[in-house]
Amino acid sequence: MRDLFDEIDEERKDLPKLVNISREVQRKRSYNFYQQLAVCLFIFLFITGVIIGNLFPACRETSELFSTCTRTEYNLALTLLFWLGSFVFCSLIYGLGEIIRLLNLIAYNTKRK
């Protein structure tokens, strides 16, 4: 009867070398129009979220007599909500670009065969 550890030593495969993995990860990748648009739009909407947080401030203190806002502060909740919405929107656009890239790759491979 063979030992379990002997079987593991016989069937074990060496891990790939770090050079091979890093070469595959660092290869140049081309982005199509939709993916570039999504990145640029996300940067623009990120900055816009900061501006919107300043334009619509949150009320910090209210006057008891008149029920009006006496002190305001930066509206972090609105900014975070805007950032989340812009991230989801830009992710959808980027995903559409990825689907188009994969379909173009499939069309290229079928045309080549």
Side-chain angles (χ1 to χ4, degrees):
M1 185 173 189
R2 291 175 37 182
D3 190 17
L4 179 65
F5 294 110
D6 292 334
E7 286 183 37
I8 291 173
D9 287 337
E10 288 176 9
E11 295 180 15
R12 181 183 71 174
K13 295 180 182 176
D14 290 333
L15 293 174
K17 301 288 183 200
L18 182 62
V19 175
N20 295 340
I21 294 172
S22 64
R23 215 179 283 139
E24 187 173 325
V25 170
Q26 292 175 352
R27 71 177 179 210
K28 187 110 175 149
R29 184 172 174 180
S30 61
Y31 298 105
N32 60 12
F33 171 74
Y34 291 104
Q35 292 170 331
Q36 292 172 358
L37 176 72
V39 171
C40 293
L41 192 62
F42 182 71
I43 293 170
F44 173 74
L45 290 175
F46 187 84
I47 295 169
T48 306
V50 174
I51 293 170
I52 285 182
N54 269 334
L55 287 178
F56 302 105
C59 189
R60 187 172 191 183
E61 291 179 4
T62 57
S63 171
E64 293 179 15
L65 186 59
F66 299 110
S67 297
T68 59
C69 191
T70 57
R71 284 182 75 188
T72 59
E73 63 181 12
Y74 182 76
N75 199 343
L76 184 64
L78 183 63
T79 301
L80 292 176
L81 188 65
F82 193 83
W83 284 350
L84 179 68
S86 64
F87 177 75
V88 169
F89 179 68
C90 292
S91 294
L92 290 174
I93 293 174
Y94 188 87
L96 177 69
E98 186 69 21
I99 290 170
I100 290 172
R101 186 186 71 81
L102 290 173
L103 288 173
N104 284 336
L105 185 65
I106 291 169
Y108 174 74
N109 286 338
T110 56
K111 191 185 300 183
R112 197 173 60 170
K113 291 182 181 180

